[in-house]
Amino acid sequence: MADDDARNVDARRARGVQSGNHNLQFNIGDHGRDATAFSSVDPLAAAGDLVQMPAGEAARRLSPMPVREVVPILAVLLEDGGTALVLELLNRVNEDRRVAICKALARTAPWIAQFPRARDEIIACRRTMAGPSKIADAKIARSPMSQLGAAGFVMACAGGVILWTEQFGAHVVSGSLLEYHHAAGGSGGRLGFPAGAARTVASIGGTTQEFEGCPATGPVTACASGRGAFVIPAPVLAHLADYSDPYEILGAPVGEAWQTGRSRWGTTGVAQHFERGLVVAARDRPALLVTGGILGLLERTGAIQGELGFPLTGPLRTVTGPPGEAARGHWYQIFEGHRPLPVTEEESFRDFGLPPGGALAVDPDDADAAIHVAGPIWEACCADGGFDGRLGFPVAAAIVRPGRAAQVFQGGTVMWSEAHGAFTVPGPVWDHIGGDGGLDDVGWPVGEQTPSPGDPSAFQQEFEHAIVMVRDGVVKIWRE
């Protein structure tokens, strides 16, 4: 840096460059005339002498001079790319003199007014770090301006680097996070300056640190673990704030966040994989976790662009279930789905804070499996009390035919046809007609099951091609 400073100043001296109220011509050799004094009282000539000296000698030459004479010399250096030398010289003077010089220099270089405070806070931060420290030799430099317009300073040391801004103060960046920060462009890259101290996260054996981010992301957290180093953007961070130890729940991030693209319902957002699930943040909605078998189903059905779309809730648990069934503890999750629900169903979702509409993925006893409930079958399930109603949880994927569908639940089977709508068929009836061509034989239901006239112990249900009666668990069919 000193060689560059010398070339810049010498070039000006050889040409004859105006500095302050002076317009003098110097020879390049002038700076070597006397090792104990400046070649001229002119700032340009004195600056030329300084860049030829070791920093310690340069500081000694300036030390007896009044501030009013030092400031023009340092201003020349600043104008000609000698910022590193100026900061090194300012680091070697006492505090009062440093403050006075910086205050005067700020008229032409406003950023330097922050240097005294930055230096004090960087040095204080350095003293908290392990290892030897020669504060007098500390080299504090300007750090590239962040993409959000923050200006700051940086000092490299054995344990990493210390970055300072007026907004965030001085913070150490070290280890894997330092490598990641450097690869991302340093303070001028997508992470910007650190906004807080690094924190050790025992649950993932890693480290996290907040950064100011950039215009595209806003504030971010960088996380380094055995799975690598990745940025967690602000929308995903909002979800982490819901937990006292989010990494114990989610594990470490295993990849960078990405823009999801548009779902079939026009929703866009951002998503990021963690060790134990996927956090999805739709635009203008809270970030939500998708995990286990539900995540597997989401990925098998085309991810966000597929049948399910974005989640509308996080994982939910049933409270009760159909008579005689143990539904408690089963997990499920509501997604954008296929079709809107009738307005009359809005009351069923008030506890979830949801608008009418949605589809459903469920995670029954098998944590690695999930079943999709959607469209008119989902609507019929909700109308019957949802998973806490008499149907309970689905036990198999839907059977789908052109204009028709059926899905088996714990408490019965929902059968839907475009011609007649959706109706619940009791378990014994489905067991009788659900296989070996039975559906083709009796067709789809055209109404709900009702008590049989004249026989309160029997129930009957009309189908397209037959009437099915159940008495004491015995099924009888009367075909047309």
Side-chain angles (χ1 to χ4, degrees), residues 159-160 173-180:
V173 183
S174 62
S176 297
L177 289 177
L178 176 58
E179 295 176 9
Y180 185 74

Side-chain angles (χ1 to χ4, degrees), residues 11 34 42 59 62 111 135 163 165 168 171 193-194 215 218 264 276 281 425 459 462 466:
D34 188 345
D42 179 74
L62 291 175
W111 59 268
I135 301 302
L163 288 154
T165 60
F168 301 115
H171 298 288
F193 284 93
R264 297 180 185 181
R276 301 187 187 98
V425 176
F459 296 87
E462 184 177 357

Side-chain angles (χ1 to χ4, degrees), residues 32-211:
R33 292 182 308 173
D34 188 345
T36 60
F38 289 118
S39 59
S40 170
V41 294
D42 179 74
L44 182 59
D49 286 331
L50 287 178
V51 297
Q52 305 299 321
M53 305 174 190
E57 175 64 20
R60 283 190 292 274
R61 294 289 184 93
L62 291 175
S63 61
M65 298 176 63
V67 169
R68 66 179 181 275
E69 293 181 6
V70 172
V71 169
I73 298 171
L74 299 188
V76 171
L77 291 174
L78 290 177
E79 291 171 5
D80 286 326
T83 299
L85 177 57
V86 171
L87 295 182
E88 192 166 0
L89 295 173
L90 289 173
N91 187 57
R92 293 170 179 268
V93 301
N94 66 56
E95 182 176 359
D96 290 342
R97 187 172 173 86
R98 181 165 46 248
V99 170
I101 293 172
C102 288
K103 182 177 180 181
L105 285 174
R107 298 188 184 99
T108 54
W111 59 268
I112 207 167
Q114 298 177 337
F115 180 74
R117 175 185 165 191
R119 179 192 180 276
D120 291 346
E121 294 183 13
I122 288 173
I123 296 304
C125 182
R126 177 66 185 91
R127 288 191 171 116
T128 66
M129 300 171 63
S133 174
K134 296 181 69 175
I135 301 302
D137 295 333
K139 296 185 183 300
I140 300 174
R142 284 193 77 185
S143 192
M145 182 174 290
S146 76
Q147 295 183 23
L148 292 175
F153 297 88
V154 60
M155 183 178 81
C157 50
V161 300
I162 301 173
L163 288 154
W164 179 93
T165 60
E166 184 177 21
Q167 179 180 0
F168 301 115
H171 298 288
V172 178
V173 183
S174 62
S176 297
L177 289 177
L178 176 58
E179 295 176 9
Y180 185 74
H181 184 255
H182 178 74
S187 60
R190 59 191 176 93
L191 294 182
F193 284 93
R199 295 193 294 267
T200 299
V201 183
S203 57
I204 60 172
T207 307
T208 65
Q209 189 163 13
E210 297 174 359
F211 289 84

Side-chain angles (χ1 to χ4, degrees), residues 265-287:
W265 296 269
T267 310
T268 60
V270 64
Q272 187 166 20
H273 276 292
F274 289 75
E275 289 177 304
R276 301 187 187 98
L278 176 71
V279 176
V280 182
R283 190 176 300 276
D284 300 325
R285 292 186 199 161

Side-chain angles (χ1 to χ4, degrees), residues 278-332:
L278 176 71
V279 176
V280 182
R283 190 176 300 276
D284 300 325
R285 292 186 199 161
L288 299 166
L289 174 65
V290 186
T291 189
I294 296 176
L295 175 57
L297 177 62
L298 177 66
E299 293 173 340
R300 291 195 302 274
T301 55
I304 297 299
Q305 287 77 36
E307 298 175 21
L308 293 175
F310 278 87
L312 298 178
T313 72
L316 302 169
R317 297 184 72 176
T318 55
V319 177
T320 61
E325 297 285 352
R328 183 183 300 274
H330 284 187
W331 293 91
Y332 63 101

Side-chain angles (χ1 to χ4, degrees), residues 336-415:
E336 287 179 305
H338 292 288
R339 291 171 32 167
L341 292 170
V343 175
T344 54
E345 303 303 333
E346 183 172 4
E347 184 69 25
S348 301
F349 295 92
R350 189 158 293 167
D351 290 342
F352 302 149
L354 298 174
L360 196 91
V362 302
D363 197 356
D365 297 330
D366 184 353
D368 295 323
I371 301 171
H372 188 192
V373 183
I377 294 180
W378 166 233
E379 295 174 15
C381 177
C382 292
D384 207 5
F387 292 147
D388 287 324
R390 61 175 180 148
L391 286 173
F393 263 69
V395 298
I399 300 169
V400 180
R401 298 181 178 181
R404 299 171 183 239
Q407 190 157 15
V408 181
F409 291 75
Q410 291 171 308
T413 299
V414 177
M415 299 183 68

